[in-house]
Amino acid sequence: YLTDNVGLGLTKTTFITATALIVALVFQFRLNRYVPYVYWLAIVLISVVGTQITDNLSDNYGVSLVITTVTFSVVLALVFAVWWGIERTLSIHTIFTTRREAFYWLAVLFTFSLGTAAGDLTAERLNLGYAVSVLLFAGLIAAVAVGHYGFHVNAVLAFWLAYILTRPLGASIGDYLSQPRSDGGL
């Protein structure tokens, strides 16, 4: 809305939402307990900023969706590797230190950037379309659930796999609902 309807453009809108995210995260990190409206404001803002990072790279700088998908996959894997290496856990139930919370928010940011890149990659670059992309990522989430409940895949691993896959699923659903019919949307 801010980018197109208000006319701020992608870059200015990204700076505005990133600033709002930083403010929300400052409040989030100062809290020593779960406060729903602060947490969910940070989640909404980080989802927007993560999406805008990918959109800026692809739309403003011409970075291909293949490169952004691979890059954000590697960066996310590095976040998890460092988090695990230092903390020896990736469980969201053990996030009770500032450092663990910082790892969590980094992981969330890069899942949103990756989700936008991967959702757009499958739907647009690979020409699968938005509906097929929705089915693809929903199917992968279902496979994770079957793996966890049917084959006892580790709960923390299953959580993060499903969490990561919800991002391209959401991007595909959002594009399917918002894009014109001529581009494969509703």
Side-chain angles (χ1 to χ4, degrees), residues 79-85 87-95 103 156 159-160:
V79 169
F80 283 130
V82 173
W83 184 358
W84 172 259
E87 298 294 335
R88 290 295 189 226
T89 182
L90 300 176
S91 173
I92 62 167
H93 301 294
T94 63
I95 299 173
F103 281 123
V156 174
F159 167 81
W160 281 112

Side-chain angles (χ1 to χ4, degrees), residues 73-139:
S73 295
V74 169
V75 170
L76 183 58
L78 287 172
V79 169
F80 283 130
V82 173
W83 184 358
W84 172 259
I86 292 173
E87 298 294 335
R88 290 295 189 226
T89 182
L90 300 176
S91 173
I92 62 167
H93 301 294
T94 63
I95 299 173
F96 48 80
T97 67
T98 301
R99 184 169 58 199
R100 287 183 183 177
E101 187 171 6
F103 281 123
Y104 169 78
W105 287 109
L106 277 174
V108 170
L109 175 64
F110 289 114
T111 61
F112 278 108
S113 296
L114 172 59
T116 299
D120 289 352
L121 174 68
T122 59
E124 298 168 10
R125 177 74 161 58
L126 300 178
N127 294 316
L128 295 179
Y130 302 116
V132 172
S133 290
V134 168
L135 295 174
L136 171 68
F137 292 112

Side-chain angles (χ1 to χ4, degrees), residues 2-4 7-18 48 52:
L2 293 174
T3 299
D4 296 332
L8 294 177
L10 184 56
T11 303
K12 286 180 185 174
T13 303
T14 302
F15 283 121
I16 291 167
T17 56
V48 171
Q52 290 171 331

